[in-house]
Amino acid sequence: QDTPKNSDDENNAIQLKILNTTLNEKLGDNSWNPFKRENDKYVVDYTDTYLTELAMSYCQELAELVGKERLLLEDMCASGQYAFTRAWNMPEDREMTLAEVILALTKIVKSCKCGKRRKIK
């Protein structure tokens, strides 16, 4: 039997999934450009309708994060503007360096219990 707390947690989880899906769709939308030009470079225009709605519905920090991520997508792949995954160093709250990624992958491979190596003939 669900208690009110479990029901609230479940509703919150559903709302977060919906928000995540909506944000991913919006970030991948080529027609959405919340930018303005300042000093020969693009900056996020926080007066954009969608970013304003996000700030009012959730919080300003979320709107800023979405705007910055959209600008990053524009810088990284302006022609396609597709979302991509980055390796993240959680303790230091930053993107992992290539060396860190290689070390992490090496640890994963070494800890893998895949059996003995097989020779390929």
Side-chain angles (χ1 to χ4, degrees):
Q1 178 167 307
D2 286 337
T3 63
K5 183 179 180 190
N6 288 342
S7 179
D8 286 345
D9 289 346
E10 190 174 300
N11 286 339
N12 288 340
I14 291 169
Q15 288 178 348
L16 284 174
K17 286 180 182 178
I18 292 169
L19 177 62
N20 184 30
T21 302
T22 305
L23 291 176
N24 280 329
E25 287 173 0
K26 195 64 173 178
L27 285 171
D29 182 2
N30 290 336
S31 65
W32 182 53
N33 294 306
F35 310 119
K36 58 184 175 184
R37 233 167 143 68
E38 287 183 2
N39 301 327
D40 292 331
K41 79 187 236 195
Y42 286 112
V43 294
V44 178
D45 180 8
Y46 292 106
T47 61
D48 174 75
T49 307
Y50 185 74
L51 293 178
T52 304
E53 289 174 10
L54 268 180
M56 291 172 58
S57 299
Y58 298 97
C59 64
Q60 183 63 36
E61 290 81 9
L62 179 62
E64 290 173 6
L65 180 65
V66 169
K68 288 177 185 175
E69 190 65 26
R70 184 65 176 88
L71 186 60
L72 179 64
L73 283 172
E74 181 71 21
D75 288 342
M76 298 292 272
C77 47
S79 63
Q81 299 168 346
Y82 53 90
F84 55 91
T85 305
R86 295 181 291 181
W88 200 255
N89 184 325
M90 296 298 277
E92 296 180 20
D93 193 31
R94 62 174 174 76
E95 191 173 353
M96 291 175 96
T97 64
L98 180 59
E100 290 172 324
V101 171
I102 292 170
L103 284 173
L105 289 174
T106 303
K107 281 184 184 179
I108 291 169
V109 170
K110 284 182 178 179
S111 69
C112 181
K113 308 237 187 243
C114 301
K116 294 181 179 180
R117 289 187 179 178
R118 296 181 181 175
K119 291 184 180 179
I120 300 173
K121 294 181 181 182

